Amino acid sequence: MIVRLLAEPFDPWQTVQAHQREHLAPGSYGATALFVGTMRDFNQGDTVRGMTLEHYPGMTERYLEDISRQAAARWDILDSLICHRVGPLRPDDPIVLVAVWSAHRAAAFDASRWLMEELKSRAPFWKKEVTAAGERWVENT
Amino acid sequence: MIVRLLAEPFDPWQTVQAHQREHLAPGSYGATALFVGTMRDFNQGDTVRGMTLEHYPGMTERYLEDISRQAAARWDILDSLICHRVGPLRPDDPIVLVAVWSAHRAAAFDASRWLMEELKSRAPFWKKEVTAAGERWVENT
Amino acid sequence: MTITVKFFASLREEVGMADLHIDGECAETVAEVWQTATDRAMPANTLMAVNQEYVDAGHPVRDGDEVAFFPPVTGG
Amino acid sequence: MTITVKFFASLREEVGMADLHIDGECAETVAEVWQTATDRAMPANTLMAVNQEYVDAGHPVRDGDEVAFFPPVTGG
């Protein structure tokens, strides 16, 4: 059960592969459900050139660790991984990775989606986009 | 929208990465939802040494292409990828990969899960396990 | 013309045949294809396809069709 | 002892401060921390945390607490 905030671009596929090799026993998991959120170059009708992700250092980690523990208590899962970018991003950069490993698929699907919904609604991150018209805070939709 | 049956072991993370690079425009997708099914070394109380995946050549591809088209019609997704092993497998070998790309997360989550449930319930694949007691067909649970 | 009949997985082992051909005159429905091709009762959970599309036992068959019988699937 | 007050994102820009300290005697609730720290009304959708846990505006505060105000979150 690992939570990481990353100040630099990361490769979600290499990250998952490395985590799996390091933390999961071969043959123990039958299901891996994964979500990757990626920065789009288009939002609310405008071309987006870049983005800055602000967060609340300390509370962010606590919150993500808290929901990871809740997921492990609620579903029969073997492990989870949450990685989230902070700082400046460019279009096509991965923003978030949520991965869940379990013996059977239902727990992995349910837990990964629940983690993403909790993260989107309550984890203290804020996006500021750069468009041709200047900077703007992204509204929660 | 691609469907592949694979007779040899494959790396799901490299496969997704390569597909994304080849088929998705950078900056166009905000969400990637992925499921990987992996062969476990334990099932129904027994250690499993190996497995053979039989399928119905022709119908399998048709069925998987059909559900891929249905998913694309039902959800606002940009692309999907289904890879499935056939033939002999060993514990820890990936069996299936389902990936869906979309602008926003709900469509990717919904479509990937629906594809997996359809695949599990109707795609003409059959698993035969090798245990210490011999070979046995896996029962649909 | 003939009808091609295929069996898969545990059903293939039970009937002892992977595929065979029967005379198109001998069967008007999928259920009749089973009766013509095998000497046993069809297991209750058998799945059936004509030309690689799922059908019910009452589905009509025609000369040249490919008819398949198989147990519940276990992929993924 | 003092209370540490933090503002994030658009709220940080609106109040013009990232963080400050107020006298622990000046506020008994999170709402009173806001009143002491700023000269404006709290936006309706403001989220609040005490010691990095979500709370409501009526939550009591004590000397040494870290109190944070921020807009709806937009991560992920």
Side-chain angles (χ1 to χ4, degrees), chain A residues 54-56 58-59 62 84 96 119-123 125-128 137-138 140, chain D residues 6 8-10 12-13 49 51-54 66 68 70-76:
Chain A
E54 181 173 333
H55 76 297
Y56 182 172
M59 181 168 174
R62 282 172 73 127
H84 202 292
V96 62
L119 186 158
K120 292 285 286 189
S121 63
R122 306 273 283 177
F125 293 106
W126 301 274
K127 287 173 178 156
K128 194 174 204 177
W137 291 100
V138 173
N140 190 327
Chain D
K6 291 171 174 279
F8 290 96
S10 57
R12 173 175 49 72
E13 294 182 351
N51 299 330
Q52 307 185 350
E53 302 266 1
Y54 279 105
E66 175 176 301
F70 45 82
V73 305
T74 55

Side-chain angles (χ1 to χ4, degrees), chain A residues 1 5 15 18 33 50 72 108 117:
Chain A
M1 208 185 78
L5 295 184
T15 304
E117 300 301 333

Side-chain angles (χ1 to χ4, degrees), chain B residues 44-121:
Chain B
Q44 295 173 320
D46 297 303
T47 298
V48 183
R49 296 172 183 174
M51 179 185 276
T52 306
L53 255 159
E54 181 173 334
H55 76 296
Y56 182 171
M59 181 167 173
T60 313
E61 295 87 331
R62 283 173 72 127
Y63 182 79
L64 297 178
E65 285 163 8
D66 181 45
I67 58 175
S68 299
R69 271 190 300 271
Q70 286 186 51
R74 186 161 160 189
W75 287 282
D76 188 12
I77 65 179
L78 294 163
D79 200 13
S80 67
L81 170 66
I82 301 178
C83 298
H84 203 293
R85 277 296 313 279
V86 295
L89 283 91
R90 298 177 59 79
D92 202 39
D93 280 355
I95 300 170
V96 61
L97 160 66
V98 169
V100 175
W101 287 264
S102 61
H104 303 288
R105 75 184 182 287
F109 271 126
D110 288 344
S112 65
R113 183 154 200 175
W114 181 84
L115 284 169
M116 266 309 296
E117 300 301 333
E118 292 297 304
L119 186 158
K120 293 284 288 191
S121 63

Side-chain angles (χ1 to χ4, degrees), chain D residues 22-71:
Chain D
I22 64 168
D23 189 324
E25 306 280 302
C26 298
E28 293 192 349
T29 65
V30 170
E32 287 171 26
V33 170
W34 175 278
Q35 284 158 21
T36 305
T38 79
D39 55 2
R40 63 189 68 203
M42 192 193 298
N45 59 5
T46 300
L47 299 173
M48 290 151 264
V50 169
N51 299 330
Q52 307 185 350
E53 302 266 1
Y54 279 105
V55 295
D56 294 322
H59 193 84
V61 293
R62 279 187 277 189
D63 252 3
D65 278 353
E66 175 176 301
V67 180
F69 299 95
F70 45 82

Side-chain angles (χ1 to χ4, degrees), chain A residues 50-119:
Chain A
M51 178 184 279
T52 305
L53 255 159
E54 181 173 333
H55 76 297
Y56 182 172
M59 181 168 174
T60 313
E61 295 88 331
R62 282 172 73 127
Y63 182 79
L64 296 178
E65 285 162 8
D66 181 46
I67 59 175
S68 298
R69 272 191 300 270
Q70 285 185 51
R74 186 160 161 189
W75 288 282
D76 190 12
I77 65 179
L78 294 163
D79 200 13
S80 67
L81 170 66
I82 301 178
C83 298
H84 202 292
R85 277 296 313 280
V86 295
L89 283 90
R90 299 177 59 80
D92 203 39
D93 280 354
I95 299 171
V96 62
L97 159 66
V98 169
V100 174
W101 288 264
S102 62
H104 303 287
R105 73 185 183 286
F109 271 126
D110 288 343
S112 65
R113 184 156 198 175
W114 181 83
L115 284 169
M116 266 309 294
E117 300 301 333
E118 291 295 304
L119 186 158

